[in-house]
Amino acid sequence: MQVIDWDLAVATGTRLVRPGPQVSKEEARQAVAELRRLSREAEGHVREFTQMAADTSPQPATIVDRSGWIRANVEGFRVVLEPLTERMAARKDQAPAIVSAVGSRITGVEVGAVLAFLASRVLGQYELFLPPDPSGEAPVGRLTLVAPNIVHAERELGVHPRDFRLWVCLHEETHRVQFTGVPWLREYVRAQMTEFLLASDLDLPTLLDRLRSAADAVADVVRGGEGSLIDAIQTPEQKEILDRLTAVMTLVEGHGDYVMDAVGPAVVPSVADIRAKFQHRREGGSRLDRTVRKLLGLDLKMKQYAEGSAFVHTVVARAGMDGFNKVWTSPETLPTLDEIARPEQWIARVIGSPALPEADGSAPEAE
């Protein structure tokens, strides 16, 4: 049983995605070459600052256009959703083939439309889940940078191109260092995602209730409310799993934001200007853009950057980098959502020192 028509998702996404900025072939070639070089440079800065090591040798980033990002994410989705697809295929009460075929095509169009929206906004990502390599020689993860979006953003913000590109690389390389330097972290995230998917209610009446809740959430957000598709369609069991996933992703995203700004002053001269303009860009956009971001949970991601960065800043300020790095010891040393909001509780639980008066948790100012 095919839950999503992935080929249709790719075709829809690549057809709907907006073209990137106008650049000459030479400008494009130079941008790709510089991003590859800066990704290598950034990894060295990140490893030195975070004191995290890995057995893997540094690899240049994979540079893609918007359509390439869509195709790469569809590959990742297929890997992530495989346990759910297998479970649904094994069900004896599944819908007739014609219903399943129509449903998968509709869902394929929907997934393609969402990817088209995101493909013009994402600057880069560390792809955790790649199709398995039969030879076992390919890296298990891949750092991908979306060159047209980086060029578009630096032009829109009016910032120094080389500085902005390195600044972006510092954030994304932090994710590569996290997942290659912490042996258990990738499998922990995969296991939580699989558990989340398999906790779904798959019977038809419950599915219809979830769809009605999703429709109500859309209407609420359009009216300016706080609805969320993610909140609308999850089960109580999934809520508990999602809290764990949200906590770990808030940590890794906030760590990335913290590192890019902490390393920045030494290697990105205009980091203060870049951060100020980029933060304003994150919070802006048309009403339609803000509505879609809220529905897709992207506003939550912006909140994760801020809360996670504040957690890292507070812990490093009180316990040093060695103290903070105890967070990577095991799944049991990861902070909970409550501990991310109250870092002194994590310090007391994991490091063992008494909780100190709470700091403001703001990010370090650039020199």
Side-chain angles (χ1 to χ4, degrees):
M1 176 181 180
Q2 186 169 340
V3 180
I4 299 172
D5 187 330
W6 295 112
D7 291 338
L8 184 58
V10 171
T12 301
T14 54
R15 176 169 50 85
L16 294 179
V17 71
R18 294 181 296 180
Q22 293 296 315
V23 295
S24 67
K25 288 184 178 181
E26 180 58 23
E27 287 175 317
R29 187 193 66 77
Q30 290 179 356
V32 168
E34 184 169 50
L35 285 169
R36 284 185 179 137
R37 179 179 60 78
L38 291 175
S39 69
R40 292 287 298 273
E41 179 182 332
E43 185 171 28
H45 294 313
V46 170
R47 290 198 185 280
E48 180 180 2
F49 178 78
T50 63
Q51 301 170 26
M52 297 174 70
D55 294 334
T56 58
S57 58
Q59 299 287 329
T62 298
I63 314 300
V64 298
D65 59 11
R66 291 172 176 177
S67 295
W69 181 85
I70 290 172
R71 286 189 287 271
N73 274 265
V74 164
E75 289 180 1
F77 286 164
R78 295 181 77 153
V79 172
V80 169
L81 291 176
E82 185 176 7
L84 179 61
T85 302
E86 291 176 349
R87 175 175 165 180
M88 294 185 72
R91 288 178 64 93
K92 300 183 185 305
D93 58 343
Q94 57 184 277
I98 183 64
V99 175
S100 299
V102 172
S104 70
R105 288 184 64 80
I106 292 173
T107 310
V109 171
E110 292 169 342
V111 169
V114 169
L115 289 173
F117 175 84
L118 296 174
S120 62
R121 289 159 174 78
V122 173
L123 301 181
Q125 70 184 69
Y126 181 69
E127 297 175 61
L128 270 177
F129 307 114
L130 301 177
D133 173 29
S135 71
E137 296 177 358
V140 291
R142 179 173 61 205
L143 178 64
T144 299
L145 299 173
V146 190
N149 295 351
I150 294 174
V151 171
H152 174 75
E154 67 196 27
R155 289 180 176 181
E156 183 181 62
L157 297 174
V159 293
H160 189 282
R162 181 263 176 197
D163 282 7
F164 182 72
R165 294 170 188 181
L166 179 55
W167 188 70
V168 170
C169 287
L170 288 169
H171 181 102
E172 303 306 335
E173 284 290 350
T174 300
H175 293 326
R176 174 150 59 184
V177 168
Q178 291 161 346
F179 285 99
T180 57
V182 182
W184 54 266
L185 187 58
R186 179 193 310 276
E187 188 51 41
Y188 174 81
V189 172
R190 180 196 290 272
Q192 294 299 313
M193 294 181 73
T194 299
E195 189 178 351
F196 178 83
L197 290 169
L198 296 184
S200 301
D201 291 320
L202 297 177
D203 58 283
L204 187 58
T206 303
L207 181 59
L208 291 175
D209 284 342
R210 302 277 176 223
L211 292 175
R212 280 193 288 269
S213 297
D216 290 342
V218 172
D220 182 48
V221 170
V222 170
R223 290 193 298 267
E226 296 298 322
S228 166
L229 284 176
I230 295 175
D231 290 338
I233 64 177
Q234 63 183 308
T235 67
E237 185 181 354
Q238 285 176 310
K239 171 71 167 61
E240 182 179 337
I241 302 166
L242 187 62
D243 283 349
R244 294 196 295 269
L245 263 174
T246 300
V248 69
M249 297 315 295
T250 298
L251 173 69
V252 300
E253 293 291 2
H255 188 225
D257 247 28
Y258 173 82
V259 170
M260 74 193 299
D261 285 345
V263 174
V267 297
V268 182
S270 58
V271 65
D273 179 56
I274 290 173
R275 166 55 74 185
K277 291 179 177 178
F278 191 74
Q279 192 63 33
H280 180 72
R281 180 179 185 262
R282 273 181 175 174
E283 297 165 355
S286 66
R287 179 173 180 179
L288 174 62
D289 192 71
R290 293 194 299 272
T291 298
V292 175
R293 287 202 322 247
K294 184 176 291 187
L295 278 172
L296 297 179
L298 300 184
D299 280 355
L300 172 63
K301 191 175 180 69
M302 298 303 103
K303 186 179 179 182
Q304 287 176 349
Y305 287 130
E307 291 184 349
S309 180
F311 172 84
V312 178
H313 178 260
T314 301
V315 174
V316 171
R318 297 181 186 183
M321 189 60 72
D322 284 343
F324 167 77
N325 280 340
K326 293 183 185 298
V327 78
W328 310 119
T329 304
S330 72
E332 287 69 36
T333 58
L334 290 172
T336 64
L337 282 177
D338 285 343
E339 288 173 337
I340 286 176
R342 300 172 181 83
E344 73 280 358
Q345 293 183 2
W346 181 87
I347 293 173
R349 178 174 71 86
V350 175
I351 299 179
S353 59
L356 301 174
E358 188 164 358
D360 62 10
S362 58
E365 293 185 0
E367 296 295 329

